[in-house]
Amino acid sequence: VDVVIHNAGMAFKGAAPEPFWEQAAVTIKANYHGTVAAHEAYLPLIKESGRIVFVGSMAGMGWMLRDPAYSDLVTNAALTMDVLSQRMNQFVAAAASGTHSELGFPNTAYGT
């Protein structure tokens, strides 16, 4: 494989009837865990000179610019997949318990 382009993502509409905790769980499962799984599946197949391209929206950038702690996390060169996965799981758990806002998470599952 010469090039893999990750361009998958989903978002609930603003008026979606699903409760926020469900939107958070479904969105993170698709947009984060799904991308990680696809990446791990394709990585062994990519040629040494191959390329991986990730396509994303500006939704995540908006939150990153508003929250210095989040910005520091995702721009830290020492960030590991384990730490990032823990953060995604913390968001889903906080959404499920209704504490996401007080823990500094956004009120949107898409721009997390």
Side-chain angles (χ1 to χ4, degrees):
V1 175
D2 293 312
V3 177
V4 172
I5 301 173
H6 293 286
N7 186 26
M10 56 83 58
F12 284 84
K13 300 288 184 191
E18 294 82 0
F20 183 68
W21 66 265
E22 185 177 342
Q23 292 182 32
V26 169
T27 303
I28 296 302
K29 182 178 180 182
N31 294 357
Y32 177 73
H33 294 293
T35 299
V36 170
H39 175 75
E40 289 174 347
Y42 278 108
L43 193 57
L45 305 174
I46 298 173
K47 292 180 182 177
E48 188 174 322
S49 62
R51 299 286 185 261
I52 301 171
V53 179
F54 290 91
V55 178
S57 74
M58 293 300 293
M61 290 296 296
W63 183 253
M64 191 170 92
L65 296 173
R66 289 189 300 276
D67 183 354
Y70 180 70
S71 178
D72 289 347
L73 173 74
V74 299
T75 59
N76 185 335
L79 177 65
T80 65
M81 288 300 298
D82 287 339
V83 170
L84 186 57
S85 293
Q86 285 175 352
R87 182 71 172 165
M88 295 297 113
N89 294 334
Q90 288 170 350
F91 169 66
V92 172
S97 68
T99 59
H100 61 282
S101 291
E102 63 192 65
L103 293 175
F105 289 107
N107 286 316
T108 173
Y110 185 70
T112 304

